[in-house]
């Protein structure tokens, strides 16, 4: 058995090197594709997604054991198609050279920035949204005239297989190629001298990627995670806050990088929040753990991780409140949301990104206390403010650092196609949505055209004439 696995890995490693060389050769032969060619690629991708939609939905559900069709359609498919459409509409404008001023010193001349494809892009994909997080960077790579190699997660084999067939139907492997494999293949993948790597995954693996990329001076975009806080203001109606938070935390059962990780709220309203959360969750998912609209934890490994986070919190004195009496299904790795109070920073629940249906709730006495808590912790990928108090909104927007902010809702900031998406510090580096994404995967090349009249000769030595001596005296004011 091991010999077979070794052979598969060896075959994939050889394939990896061959594909990389093939893509480099393709790029050398096609270094500057036109807007029409790129739009054609986007159209091919669009129709592939539409044609394969049902097979993709089924495949992710198989990988998860059970995944809500809504979760896949809204988060993986629809988001990608919207981004694609938005990119298609804006591409011509983005590709136009950007005129710049050359300044008086260089007159007469013209300056502009030419946005150029960079080459072969490596895309490393996590398991949680395997369709959206592979195809969204891919569409940016195609829109920028690059070739792309996708390294899929080893935890989504069924989805990988469908995506591989789908992409092969529309693109030659010299332009788009999909790679699978365990950590050995992943490691070699990150060591290839790509012209850019877009990595979506954990902060810990992100560090490996950046280390590997540094050997080749390959630029990286790291889309990582973290503990995204939700601050409920003292002014806000608890029932309404619960409805928004409970829905957001239920998408993919909390297995989303921008899921609300924990809640900071007025201490005196915590009990009301817990009661309302239970009632609202049960009204959304009437069959509880058996609800078909509720997604499973992706696999036993993640399920056991989440259970051990709960055990650690409970052992250290936290109160665990499952939102329904039947809270676990060990065989099918399904878990109902657990609300956790009485937490401390010594518990894993407040140290690691939860990435699942666990929601710690911290009661605060004053907004100052909540603000200080956020400032004392790592910069998150998202920060949610649930309040109509403008001063409170402004305070958190301007005096905290996070990848993005959403006021009076959750997750939806990701859907703003026209704006960048990405973290800061431990939650990520760089962006790939919107015009920022186009710029990330293009080389911004400054072109200075001095034209036919050129006064530079006036600066050549010797500097002994009155005119040149005057110029030298004037340098530096
Ligand atoms: P992960 O970091 O374990 O794996 C991500 C990818 O990296 C997988 O394809 C994996 O095979 C590969 N990989 C693992 N070890 C590697 C190595 N040593 N060298 C090269 N590649 C390696 O992440 P995951 O568990 O698949 O996904 C969950 C994480 O992803 C969470 O932390 C979540 O917050 C984050 N995430 C971030 C975003 C975002 O847009 N910021 C989106 C989704 C998920």
């Amino acid at each position: 058995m091991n010999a077979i696995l070794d052979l598969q890995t060896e075959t994939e490693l050889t394939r990896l090197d061959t594909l990389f060389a093939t893509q480099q050769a393709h790029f050398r032969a096609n270094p500057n594709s036109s807007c029409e060619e790129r739009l054609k690629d986007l159209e091919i991708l669009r129709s592939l997604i539409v044609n394969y939609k049902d097979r993709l939905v089924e495949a992710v559900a198989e990988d998860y054991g059970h995944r809500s069709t809504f979760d896949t359609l809204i988060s993986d498919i629809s988001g990608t198609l919207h981004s694609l459409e938005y990119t298609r509409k804006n591409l011509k404008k983005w590709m136009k050279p950007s005129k710049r001023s050359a300044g008086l010193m260089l007159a007469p001349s013209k300056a502009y920035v030419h946005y150029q494809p960079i080459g072969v892009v490596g895309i490393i994909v996590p398991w949680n949204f395997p369709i959206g997080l592979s195809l969204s960077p891919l569409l940016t790579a195609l829109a920028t005239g690059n070739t792309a190699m996708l390294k899929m997660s080893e935890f989504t084999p069924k989805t990988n297989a469908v995506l591989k067939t789908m992409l092969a139907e529309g693109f030659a492997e010299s332009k788009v190629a999909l790679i699978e494999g365990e950590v050995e293949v992943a490691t070699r993948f990150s060591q290839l001298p790509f012209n850019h790597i877009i990595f979506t995954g954990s902060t810990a693996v992100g560090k490996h990627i950046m280390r590997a990329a540094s050997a080749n001076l390959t630029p990286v975009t790291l889309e990582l995670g973290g503990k995204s806080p939700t601050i409920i203001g003292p002014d806000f109606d608890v029932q309404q806050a619960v409805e928004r938070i409970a829905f957001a935390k239920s998408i993919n059962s909390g297995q989303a990088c921008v899921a609300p990780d924990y809640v900071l709220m007025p201490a005196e309203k915590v009990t009301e929040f817990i009661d309302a959360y239970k009632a609202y969750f049960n009204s959304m998912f009437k069959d509880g753990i058996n609800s078909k609209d509720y997604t499973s934890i992706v696999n036993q490994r993640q399920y056991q991780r989440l259970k051990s986070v709960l055990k650690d919190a409970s052992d250290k004195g936290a109160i665990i409140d499952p939102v329904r009496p039947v809270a676990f299904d060990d065989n099918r790795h399904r878990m109902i949301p657990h609300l956790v109070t009485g937490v401390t920073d010594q518990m894993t629940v407040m140290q690691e990104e939860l990435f699942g249906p666990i929601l710690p709730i911290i009661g605060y006495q004053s907004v100052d206390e909540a603000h200080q808590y956020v400032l004392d912790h790592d910069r998150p990928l998202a920060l949610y403010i649930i309040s109509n108090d403008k001063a409170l909104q402004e305070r958190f927007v301007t005096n905290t650092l996070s990848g993005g902010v959403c006021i009076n809702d959750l997750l939806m900031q990701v859907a703003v196609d026209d704006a960048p998406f990405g973290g800061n510090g431990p939650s990520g580096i760089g962006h790939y949505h919107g015009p920022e994404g186009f710029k990330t995967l293009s080389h911004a090349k400054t072109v200075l055209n001095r034209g036919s009249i050129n006064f530079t000769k006036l600066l050549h030595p010797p500097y002994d004439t009155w005119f040149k001596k005057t110029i030298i005296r004037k340098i530096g004011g």
Side-chain angles (χ1 to χ4, degrees):
M1 180 67 182
N2 280 347
I4 294 172
L5 280 179
D6 286 351
L7 190 65
Q8 276 175 349
T9 303
E10 201 45 51
T11 312
E12 201 66 351
L13 287 175
T14 313
R15 189 170 159 260
L16 193 55
D17 292 342
T18 311
L19 281 173
F20 185 72
T22 310
Q23 291 218 348
Q24 277 189 314
H26 176 93
F27 183 73
R28 268 187 232 116
N30 306 274
N32 197 17
S33 58
S34 65
C35 185
E36 288 67 34
E37 285 169 301
R38 300 182 196 188
L39 288 173
K40 201 172 138 209
D41 283 341
L42 291 178
E43 177 48 31
I44 292 171
L45 185 60
R46 193 198 64 78
S47 51
L48 288 173
I49 298 172
V50 171
N51 292 342
Y52 276 77
K53 187 182 76 181
D54 295 340
R55 271 170 279 181
L56 286 168
V57 168
E58 257 173 53
V60 196
E62 280 183 55
D63 282 329
Y64 270 72
H66 175 78
R67 199 203 209 197
S68 140
T69 301
F70 175 82
D71 283 354
T72 306
L73 289 177
I74 196 79
S75 311
D76 271 307
I77 308 274
S78 151
T80 309
L81 287 172
H82 273 106
S83 257
L84 196 148
E85 186 54 18
Y86 161 83
T87 302
R88 210 181 56 72
K89 279 195 181 136
N90 286 282
L91 188 58
K92 197 168 172 198
K93 180 176 75 190
W94 293 339
M95 283 179 70
K96 275 201 183 122
S98 158
K99 268 195 203 164
R100 304 295 166 99
S101 162
L104 212 56
M105 282 282 287
L106 297 173
S109 52
K110 284 184 181 151
Y112 62 93
V113 177
H114 172 71
Y115 294 102
Q116 191 165 8
I118 46 170
V120 184
V121 176
I123 298 169
I124 305 177
V125 187
W127 54 260
N128 67 325
F129 292 113
I131 306 165
L133 295 173
S134 54
L135 301 185
S136 179
L138 173 64
L139 77 87
T140 309
L142 293 172
T144 40
N146 298 304
T147 70
M149 287 171 62
L150 298 107
K151 153 70 186 75
M152 302 303 294
S153 167
E154 57 276 41
F155 301 117
T156 53
K158 303 281 182 200
T159 313
N160 301 351
V162 176
L163 280 174
K164 193 172 187 173
T165 309
M166 175 186 115
L167 292 171
E169 193 177 306
F171 300 98
E173 282 197 322
S174 56
K175 194 179 262 185
V176 178
L178 187 143
I179 310 290
E180 288 180 87
E182 302 281 331
V183 74
E184 229 175 301
V185 175
T187 306
R188 173 83 72 94
F189 188 89
S190 63
Q191 290 166 345
L192 289 171
F194 286 110
N195 300 102
H196 196 104
I197 292 179
I198 295 189
F199 167 80
T200 307
S202 61
T203 306
V205 176
K207 290 180 186 172
H208 289 299
I209 303 298
M210 195 156 174
R211 210 173 294 126
S214 73
N216 302 310
L217 295 180
T218 295
V220 290
T221 300
L222 302 179
E223 296 290 350
L224 311 176
K227 294 185 80 62
S228 299
T230 301
I231 299 108
I232 306 177
D235 63 297
F236 209 84
D237 176 61
V238 169
Q239 177 63 31
Q240 280 194 48
V242 159
E243 290 175 9
R244 294 171 203 190
I245 296 167
F247 171 67
K249 189 75 176 177
S250 301
I251 298 273
N252 215 30
S253 282
Q255 301 166 102
C257 58
V258 285
D261 192 278
Y262 64 94
V263 170
L264 286 159
M265 66 176 297
E268 70 277 12
K269 296 183 182 173
V270 170
T271 307
E272 184 188 348
F273 180 93
I274 292 174
D275 292 344
Y277 200 112
K278 287 180 179 172
Y280 196 67
F281 180 86
N282 286 306
S283 73
M284 285 195 293
F285 302 99
K286 294 198 168 43
D287 296 327
I289 204 144
N290 296 315
S291 297
K292 74 173 182 359
D293 296 333
Y294 191 66
T295 293
S296 298
I297 305 306
V298 68
N299 53 34
Q300 277 296 344
R301 190 167 131 179
Q302 291 296 328
Y303 180 73
Q304 294 306 334
R305 175 186 67 80
L306 290 165
K307 282 187 100 173
S308 71
V309 168
L310 287 174
K311 181 170 184 318
D312 174 82
S314 167
D315 288 351
K316 291 176 181 161
I319 299 158
I320 318 278
D321 241 319
V323 301
R324 206 163 162 120
V326 181
F328 297 105
D329 180 336
D330 286 349
N331 289 332
R332 296 187 298 153
H333 39 92
R334 286 171 76 73
M335 185 187 283
I336 280 307
H338 287 69
L339 308 177
V340 189
T341 45
V343 295
T344 67
D345 276 5
Q346 280 64 53
M347 300 172 183
T348 318
V349 78
M350 291 316 295
Q351 291 168 346
E352 291 174 7
E353 177 184 13
L354 292 168
F355 220 60
I358 299 177
L359 186 67
I361 303 156
I362 304 175
Y364 64 70
Q365 301 300 330
S366 68
V367 174
D368 287 349
E369 204 181 304
H371 191 174
Q372 195 56 47
Y373 189 89
V374 175
L375 293 178
D376 287 344
H377 292 80
D378 279 346
R379 295 171 181 183
L381 185 58
L383 184 136
Y384 300 113
I385 305 165
I386 310 289
S387 170
N388 291 316
D389 177 343
K390 296 268 180 284
L392 187 146
Q393 294 175 358
E394 187 63 15
R395 170 184 189 155
F396 279 94
V397 169
T398 52
N399 295 308
T400 61
L401 248 161
S402 59
V405 166
C406 184
I407 299 172
N408 288 341
D409 208 347
L410 301 96
L411 313 186
M412 301 303 164
Q413 75 279 13
V414 181
V416 187
D417 287 322
D418 202 28
F421 174 76
N424 185 270
S427 56
I429 295 176
H431 315 97
Y432 72 86
H433 291 198
E436 283 79 4
F438 178 84
K439 287 184 181 167
T440 295
L441 294 186
S442 300
H443 172 57
K445 182 156 77 183
T446 295
V447 180
L448 178 71
N449 187 343
R450 307 279 331 245
S452 49
I453 309 168
N454 190 325
F455 296 116
T456 312
K457 204 169 173 192
L458 294 174
L459 301 176
H460 296 183
Y463 301 111
D464 53 2
T465 63
W466 171 86
F467 177 73
K468 288 181 183 176
K469 280 180 183 166
T470 310
I471 287 184
I472 286 169
R473 263 203 310 277
K474 296 249 181 230
I475 289 174

